[in-house]
Amino acid sequence: MNFIVTSPFYPENFQLFTNRLKKQGFTVLGIGQEPYDQLSANLKSDLTEYYKVNNLEKVDEVKRAVAYLYFKHGKIDRIESNNEHWLNLEAEIRQEFNILGNKPSDLKKVKFKSEMKKLFKKAGVPTVPGKIANKKTSVKRLVKELGLPVVAKPNSGVGSSATYKLINDADVDTFIAEWDEKEPYFFEPYIEDARLLSFDGLIDQEGNIVFETGLYYKEPTLEVIKRQGDFGYCIQKQMPEKLRKYGHAIVEQFGMTERFFHIEFFEDGDDFLAVEYNNRVAGGYTIDMYNFANHIDLFQQYARVVAGLPFEHSDIANQYCVALSQRDQFTYAHNDADIRSHYGNRFVFSKRMPDGFAALQGNQFYGILADTQAEVDEVFNYVHQRVEQ
């Protein structure tokens, strides 16, 4: 089976995706924009062939690369990166070369927040209401209908990019002045003091959830960015049953197959409000945190799913995994050596964040296992304790 991996070099922790596909017996072909010499020795070994393009954003150039690989290696069976940035590109390639998986027409429901809301409602899951603005002239009317504060985000967008929290009329005026109207914006009420959490997992070829997990953020992403606060989240040891029920209903309604998913919710008292469906694994080092918490290798299990084999669950009981970071501009009470010594074999991960992600996620990222909620709280307090200036 020929499997094209889009951008096999970046992000670095996704290079294991290529390795696990090769170990499962796939012929793995890479298309990327980095020079071949920049690839690590391991990645070169895992790829049967690598085709360098000048710019992955140029669809026609990528299509020529696929055509070449098709001519040389035969029918292309899959193309995937597990990266949201390339969802559109890969869908176009699948349509052009008749490759199994999402085509452009399948992406409408996972690209546009307004479309997601419709499917949440069809699934019988509570959701945060919202309205679309195409022109500046409609913004104040929509804000009045929803009531301040509101969140304004691109109707089609990734994560928290280009997202605004509008607290007062001055914020609304600033947004209107800055918005170029090139892309519609989606407005929804800002849920004060609500915890943001997720229901995540992997779907097999028949559309069944074969793995499920989830996380909760210590503080909403927008607040972290605004205040440059300490970033952190925790992989849950056990999912709330109601959240799990909602997650299954949503996955069934969206009808995806052979994919990771990441569904975001707000905790609202004893209920949950669906916010957004992401048709891929959660970003950054989250998949690593899932692996540590669940004692599993998800890229390996994904490769098994694509090969039509059953998902293999771990025999080891899962744990919490606290994922958190420190920022270079602050002085903390405990440094890297202190943290490693304090947590011993519960300390499982340490990486410098790429500069492009540091504004959101901090500079030095850690993963630490915990067995109880009390231990989770202690980890957050210990790592984020600052020296008073």
Side-chain angles (χ1 to χ4, degrees), residues 137-372:
T137 52
S138 60
V139 169
K140 289 192 175 182
R141 173 179 57 81
L142 296 184
V143 168
K144 184 176 181 180
E145 291 175 6
L146 294 170
L148 290 170
V150 300
V151 174
K153 47 192 174 183
N155 192 34
S156 175
V158 179
S160 300
S161 59
T163 297
Y164 299 80
K165 179 183 177 183
L166 311 180
I167 300 175
N168 50 44
D169 291 338
D171 291 338
V172 175
D173 291 336
T174 299
F175 170 80
I176 292 172
E178 294 179 354
W179 181 29
D180 60 14
E181 296 183 328
K182 290 182 179 179
E183 297 289 340
Y185 256 74
F186 191 78
F187 293 78
E188 60 186 28
Y190 182 83
I191 311 299
E192 295 282 2
D193 301 321
R195 186 165 70 162
L196 181 63
L197 66 170
S198 72
F199 176 76
D200 303 349
L202 177 63
I203 311 165
D204 68 10
Q205 294 180 343
E206 305 300 320
N208 303 307
I209 298 175
V210 292
F211 172 77
E212 59 186 52
T213 185
L215 59 87
Y216 66 84
Y217 291 92
K218 183 184 179 186
E219 189 174 2
T221 305
L222 286 179
E223 298 301 325
V224 173
I225 296 173
K226 180 180 178 181
R227 299 190 298 99
Q228 283 293 279
D230 289 318
F231 175 82
Y233 59 85
C234 180
I235 310 303
Q236 300 202 62
K237 187 176 179 180
Q238 185 174 358
M239 300 294 295
E241 186 55 36
K242 182 180 285 189
L243 180 66
R244 183 176 179 274
K245 177 182 175 183
Y246 286 167
H248 277 255
I250 289 172
V251 168
E252 182 177 356
Q253 188 65 49
F254 274 72
M256 295 296 176
T257 58
E258 206 178 274
R259 295 201 65 82
F260 288 106
F261 62 89
H262 171 62
I263 311 172
E264 295 178 344
F265 291 82
F266 279 127
E267 188 173 43
D268 185 31
D270 61 355
D271 208 352
F272 303 94
L273 303 174
V275 179
E276 189 169 317
Y277 184 104
N278 294 279
N279 201 34
R280 43 77 182 173
V281 70
Y285 295 121
T286 310
I287 192 166
D288 302 278
M289 302 302 105
Y290 287 157
N291 287 339
F292 287 122
N294 294 279
H295 305 282
I296 203 166
D297 184 331
L298 284 172
F299 282 147
Q300 177 188 350
Q301 296 307 315
Y302 175 93
R304 287 180 59 84
V305 164
V306 176
L309 299 173
F311 189 98
E312 296 176 323
H313 291 272
S314 174
D315 294 330
I316 304 173
N318 65 317
Q319 297 173 272
Y320 295 102
C321 186
V322 187
L324 70 175
S325 64
Q326 293 182 338
R327 295 186 182 275
D328 288 350
Q329 66 261 43
F330 302 128
T331 302
Y332 293 89
H334 307 108
N335 61 24
D336 187 271
D338 296 331
I339 297 169
R340 290 173 183 269
S341 174
H342 185 71
Y343 291 108
N345 60 9
R346 288 168 52 193
F347 183 102
V348 293
F349 194 82
S350 176
K351 286 279 187 180
R352 286 291 295 180
M353 291 297 296
D355 291 342
F357 297 101
L360 168 59
Q361 298 187 21
N363 302 97
Q364 185 64 40
F365 190 90
Y366 297 107
I368 299 167
L369 296 176
D371 291 313
T372 67

